[in-house]
Structure formats: C-alpha cells, structure tokens
Amino acid sequence: MSATLHPTLAHPEPVAAPAARLALKTDGTSRGLLDGAWWPRSRDLLSELPLLTDVLDPLWGRITRVAVNPKYWPVIPRHVPVDGHVVRVGWFTPEIDPHKLLLLSYGTGRWDLLIIPPETRAESAARLMAAASDPDGPPLTASALITADESRHGVDAIAATEEPLDPDEAWEYEGGAPAIVTAVPRQPGRAGQAAGRASRLIVGL
C-alpha cells in the first residue's frame, strides 16, 4: 500500500493589524475641551478599541473604561478584550457629544477625543486632527469642530469619495503602510512658546 505525500505548505505570514489613526496633544500643552482626535476605520468598537488602546496604554496608562454616545455606533459591547485586560464600555445620550470618545485610565486621569467619522476624506480628517490637537486652537466641542469644517469646506468634503482608490491608496487606507509616530514641533508664537517643543503626537498616518 503506497501513501501519497503532499509537499509541506508554507504558513502564510501573519498580517499586522493597522495602527490606530490619532493626533494627540502632548504633556504640558493646554487641554481645552479635547485632547486630540481619533479616526477609526469602521464603526465596530470590538475591532477598533484594541487598536486604540495599543497606542494609548503606553502613553496614558492602562485604559479601563470608555464611554460614547450611541448615535453613530450600531452596536455597543459592554466589555471589549484588549491586550492584557478588558475595557468596560458605557454609553450616554445627552451627556456625551456624539462625536466624542471619553476615556478613563484607572488612577491616572480622563481624556476626551474627537471621533472623526470613518468615511471622512483624508484631507478633511487631516484638518480635523490638526484642529483637535492644536494646543492654541479655539475651545470648541467635538461636534462644533466638525460643523466648522463643514461650513468652511462644504459637507461633501467630509464624506468619502465613492471613486475606487488606486492600489497604493487602498494599501495605505487598509493599514498596509507601517504605523508612523511623529512628534510635531510647536511653532514659535504667542506667550513665549519655545520652538522645537513637541505640541502634538501623530500616529498611524
């Protein structure tokens, strides 16, 4: 009786998850109403929150709780497993801006991020990230920032184009490009600000 031998197939290389797309104010900058902006790739908290905490846990301490307004999230899980722990998720309708994510780190503090809609065009997202992470920007709420951008550039500028992306753009949008972490120097200006001091941290763009 003969046996048929099949060649050993190579295991596919694991594909790294795309990095969360963030722009954050750094320590020592004025907080205002927001600590930065987050541009998720979907409205699925189960898949998006682990990517977010991968970046924020080393910066802000272990994130233990988050809260959102349910207006733009079709499903809100009560608990989300992340790397090494579980994040508890709450939702509040009148108390939380629909475009804001509230994060709590046990014993460390609270942070508030603008949530940029996943379908936002890249150029609009870049403007919103810059505005939310600008330590010298006006103290606007999350929804006010988005409304202001729509007023200046039109509502169509926020919605993503329906045209297909070219292969390079699609690769980067889906996370194929490696994560980029950039500290943006503060520009010299008001109140004796020193040039070269990092004013914001940009991740995943």
Side-chain angles (χ1 to χ4, degrees):
M1 176 176 175
S2 61
T4 303
L5 301 178
H6 296 278
T8 301
L9 299 177
H11 292 286
E13 292 293 329
V15 177
R21 300 179 293 191
L22 290 164
L24 307 173
K25 293 177 181 175
T26 58
D27 291 339
T29 59
S30 59
R31 287 193 57 185
L33 299 179
L34 296 167
D35 298 291
W38 173 44
W39 185 20
R41 291 176 170 82
S42 72
R43 299 188 186 277
D44 180 4
L45 286 172
L46 277 172
S47 63
E48 296 292 342
L49 281 180
L51 302 176
L52 182 62
T53 59
D54 281 349
V55 176
L56 295 183
D57 280 3
L59 296 173
W60 291 349
R62 177 175 289 188
I63 302 298
T64 55
R65 293 174 180 265
V66 302
V68 297
N69 186 305
K71 182 175 181 178
Y72 297 115
W73 300 99
V75 176
I76 301 180
R78 294 182 61 185
H79 302 88
V80 176
V82 299
D83 187 16
H85 63 288
V86 173
V87 174
R88 303 180 73 174
V89 183
W91 61 268
F92 303 93
T93 302
E95 296 91 347
I96 295 183
D97 188 309
H99 293 289
K100 187 176 80 171
L101 175 70
L102 185 155
L103 306 104
L104 298 173
S105 176
Y106 179 75
T108 304
R110 162 184 168 163
W111 294 270
D112 300 274
L113 296 179
L114 165 70
I115 303 172
I116 300 173
E119 63 272 14
T120 302
R121 295 173 62 107
E123 55 268 35
S124 298
R127 289 193 302 266
L128 291 167
M129 285 187 159
S133 60
D134 183 359
D136 301 315
L140 297 178
T141 65
S143 287
L145 273 179
I146 289 181
T147 299
D149 193 81
E150 290 175 345
S151 298
R152 292 191 187 97
H153 303 281
V155 177
D156 290 342
I158 296 294
T161 178
E162 296 298 326
E163 297 178 0
L165 300 175
D166 66 43
D168 290 337
E169 289 176 327
W171 170 248
E172 293 184 4
Y173 180 78
E174 295 299 330
I180 298 174
V181 180
T182 305
V184 178
R186 180 192 293 275
Q187 299 299 317
R190 300 188 295 274
Q193 295 169 352
R197 180 182 177 187
S199 62
R200 65 172 67 100
L201 184 70
I202 300 173
V203 181
L205 293 176

